[in-house]
Amino acid sequence: MTTTDAADTPRPQPLLTATGVTMRFGGLTAVRSVDLTVHTGQIVGLIGPNGAGKTTFFNCLTGLYTPAEGTVTYRDTALPAKPHLVTRAGIARTFQNIRLFASMTVLENVLVGRHTRTKEGLLAALLRGPTYHRAEKASKQRALELLDFTGLTPQRDQLARNLPYGEQRRLEIARALASDPGLLLLDEPTAGMNPHETRTTERLVRAIRDQGTAVLVIEHDMRFIFNLCDHVAVLVQGQKLTEGTPRTVQNDERVIAAYLGTPHSTTTEDDHR
Ligand SMILES: Nc1ncnc2c1ncn2[C@@H]1O[C@H](COP(=O)(O)OP(=O)(O)OP(=O)(O)O)[C@@H](O)[C@H]1O
């Protein structure tokens, strides 16, 4: 029996759905009634000028903040505003500022990420019975696979603090992947990187998506966003200005104006095409 390509390709399903998310800090509304959907198999970019509310929105998605209004669902289930439960549900993230365990090795850092996933409790760990040892072995195996996937195998026994900057950022991604997420949130993954490191990260993010983990990424590097993303949403002053394909967003006069503050400009300094 033959099947068509269309039948072989799984249809994208809504994975993360944010509806009417609003977050206030005292009198400041940092995020105002934002809707966003990430589908399976997608890389979605979230862009906007400094202070637009991108990180605040991420914090609402990952349970660090409880939004004043709105809901966030993952695979049709409402997410609790508790980071460890969001991780357990299948969402992992990295932060704008590197948060590695500097005095642990590269492998140990990934194993820490793995432990948020394993079911073995404190008692099992203390007793160190066969179940514990089996889980430990499987965790180590997965951590080694992730080091291979992120190109960090040669550095596995180095202390995290001794890695060059670009490799530290990759290690953060490896650690986030250790929880086997269905969705990975990246907050400015290429900040401070040189062009070579940025291209490496671009390839890595694409490979993550190709392995079945959808990605939502905040980034100021427009070349990175427009090269990589299937869909781009633009936040300005806490509100979603527009969303669509990279081409649509790139050519939207309102987006250009939001970045440059000039309504009739037709190019941006980041426009590489
Ligand atoms: N914990 C907080 N308390 C009070 N105000 C905050 C807090 N976090 C963010 N803000 C404010 O909320 C607004 C949105 O900030 P946010 O960091 O989410 O923007 P951003 O788009 O991520 O910016 P950037 O691109 O510079 O990282 C800003 O005006 C910021 O000063």
Side-chain angles (χ1 to χ4, degrees):
M1 197 177 95
T2 57
T3 53
T4 64
D5 283 352
D8 287 343
T9 311
R11 280 167 59 93
Q13 303 290 332
L15 193 60
L16 178 93
T17 307
T19 310
V21 170
T22 295
M23 181 70 202
R24 299 190 187 94
F25 299 110
L28 173 80
T29 304
V31 174
R32 188 187 296 271
S33 200
V34 172
D35 298 339
L36 186 75
T37 301
V38 180
H39 290 86
T40 51
Q42 270 190 331
I43 302 173
V44 176
L46 185 61
I47 64 170
N50 289 324
K54 304 179 296 294
T55 297
T56 303
F57 183 62
F58 257 34
N59 289 343
C60 291
L61 300 181
T62 53
L64 278 176
Y65 294 157
T66 306
E69 290 156 32
T71 55
V72 184
T73 63
Y74 179 74
R75 297 189 194 277
D76 291 330
T77 304
L79 280 176
K82 293 259 187 308
H84 70 285
L85 296 180
V86 171
T87 308
R88 200 173 293 164
I91 300 177
R93 75 173 287 179
T94 64
F95 291 86
Q96 214 167 322
N97 304 313
I98 291 179
R99 295 189 180 187
L100 291 169
F101 295 101
S103 302
M104 291 170 107
T105 67
V106 166
L107 177 60
E108 285 165 349
N109 267 277
V110 181
L111 283 169
V112 169
R114 188 74 202 157
H115 277 133
T116 63
R117 198 70 185 158
T118 49
K119 289 194 284 298
E120 280 58 47
L122 181 64
L123 188 62
L126 290 172
L127 296 175
R128 290 181 179 257
T131 316
Y132 173 80
H133 283 295
R134 260 198 308 277
E136 284 291 290
K137 203 172 159 200
S139 281
K140 186 165 179 193
Q141 180 58 35
R142 180 69 185 133
L144 292 173
E145 281 168 19
L146 286 168
L147 291 184
D148 186 41
F149 180 66
T150 51
L152 290 170
T153 301
Q155 292 83 356
R156 60 172 265 183
D157 296 321
Q158 285 188 36
L159 296 183
R161 67 162 169 258
N162 293 337
L163 295 186
Y165 181 79
E167 289 178 3
Q168 289 195 9
R169 295 228 79 131
R170 250 188 297 149
L171 176 54
E172 282 209 302
I173 293 177
R175 189 177 61 184
L177 290 173
S179 63
D180 291 335
L183 175 67
L184 177 64
L185 272 53
L186 301 171
D187 195 345
E188 297 195 31
T190 74
M193 284 188 174
N194 64 39
H196 174 72
E197 290 169 333
T198 299
R199 296 289 83 80
T200 304
T201 305
E202 206 173 293
R203 282 194 296 275
L204 177 60
V205 173
R206 200 171 277 125
I208 290 167
R209 187 271 309 276
D210 291 347
Q211 293 220 337
T213 299
V215 178
L216 175 60
V217 54
I218 295 174
E219 190 48 75
H220 283 288
D221 182 338
M222 292 300 138
R223 182 174 171 195
F224 178 91
I225 286 286
F226 292 133
N227 264 343
L228 194 62
C229 294
D230 305 297
H231 189 86
V232 179
V234 187
L235 278 192
V236 176
Q237 294 179 0
Q239 289 180 280
K240 191 172 68 185
L241 178 71
T242 185
E243 65 181 317
T245 63
R247 182 177 290 270
T248 311
V249 167
Q250 220 172 349
N251 293 324
D252 191 319
E253 291 277 324
R254 294 170 303 162
V255 177
I256 297 163
Y259 272 93
L260 295 184
T262 51
H264 299 299
S265 300
T266 52
T267 56
T268 76
E269 63 181 3
D270 291 316
D271 192 348
H272 67 292
R273 293 177 187 211

